[in-house]
Amino acid sequence: QQQVKQSPQSLIVQKGGISIINCAYENTAFDYFPWYQQFPGKGPALLIAIRPDVSEKKEGRFTISFNKSAKQFSLHIMDSQPGDSATYFCAASRGETSGSRLTFGEGTQLTVNP
Amino acid sequence: KAGVTQTPRYLIKTRGQQVTLSCSPISGHRSVSWYQQTPGQGLQFLFEYFSETQRNKGNFPGRFSGRQFSNSRSEMNVSTLELGDSALYLCASSLRILPYEQYFGPGTRLTVT
């Protein structure tokens, strides 16, 4: 019930292409869905997040699409750049009930070729 | 504003020893959460402290403990270290206002030999 499933495990995209990473969750009580970007040797950095009352959120080249009925959400990176090469994690939390407790997906290693 | 800081950044310990890791949250943030990151298990929640009280706890043995001080700084302790405790330990701070956005530090890389 607490799991978040993320796919693909790895992704290779050409510069300028669109990177798409998908996540699915089981617990319908989750009400906050952030995405984190992690570079080697660094901690995860908050990229963008969404609440279930909206179906899409865009910040620059990054867009989250959210499908509440399917219990799925995805990260789209438009015009992917070599500097976007990193590991991306989706996560979910239950807000008030579980405080800051985040349940993470397994991670996606993104490589953007020049 | 300075980010989350963690000390030390790297640590090598021997099986059976204990270790204490430190975290200073972003100024004004009163919630500190700890996570363990390993290649096999990914990112797993250890515990959260807010106002010097443990508010949430993950599924880890009692060898893992923590505390928070009045200035919101936090420490976590692992006693009787096992080889499997080798991991990147991450601290995240939050204002603890919904939706509880969390900001991570660089982590402490613990190696148990």
Side-chain angles (χ1 to χ4, degrees), chain B residues 9-27:
Chain B
R9 291 293 313 278
Y10 302 92
L11 206 49
I12 300 175
K13 288 287 188 179
T14 303
R15 196 170 39 180
Q17 288 185 316
Q18 75 166 19
V19 66
T20 299
L21 313 180
S22 181
C23 171
S24 292
I26 293 170
S27 177

Side-chain angles (χ1 to χ4, degrees), chain B:
Chain B
K1 199 181 260 191
V4 177
T5 58
Q6 292 187 244
T7 57
R9 291 293 313 278
Y10 302 92
L11 206 49
I12 300 175
K13 288 287 188 179
T14 303
R15 196 170 39 180
Q17 288 185 316
Q18 75 166 19
V19 66
T20 299
L21 313 180
S22 181
C23 171
S24 292
I26 293 170
S27 177
H29 285 195
R30 295 173 59 200
S31 168
V32 172
S33 298
W34 289 88
Y35 293 81
Q36 182 195 64
Q37 185 175 25
T38 60
Q41 299 298 316
L43 280 151
Q44 292 188 289
F45 173 80
L46 278 157
F47 29 64
E48 179 203 5
Y49 285 86
F50 175 69
S51 293
E52 301 177 64
T53 302
Q54 187 179 90
R55 302 289 177 163
N56 282 289
K57 190 177 191 307
N59 189 26
F60 279 82
R63 300 184 298 106
F64 292 80
S65 63
R67 59 177 176 168
Q68 187 180 34
F69 303 95
S70 58
N71 61 358
S72 296
R73 191 177 68 85
S74 177
E75 290 181 347
M76 69 162 281
N77 183 276
V78 188
S79 62
T80 318
L81 284 165
E82 300 177 359
L83 295 178
D85 296 334
S86 294
L88 181 67
Y89 289 89
L90 293 157
C91 166
S93 78
S94 165
L95 282 170
R96 216 174 198 268
I97 298 172
L98 286 171
Y100 301 141
E101 290 185 348
Q102 292 187 63
Y103 298 90
F104 283 83
T108 294
R109 172 72 64 185
L110 172 65
T111 301
V112 182
T113 61

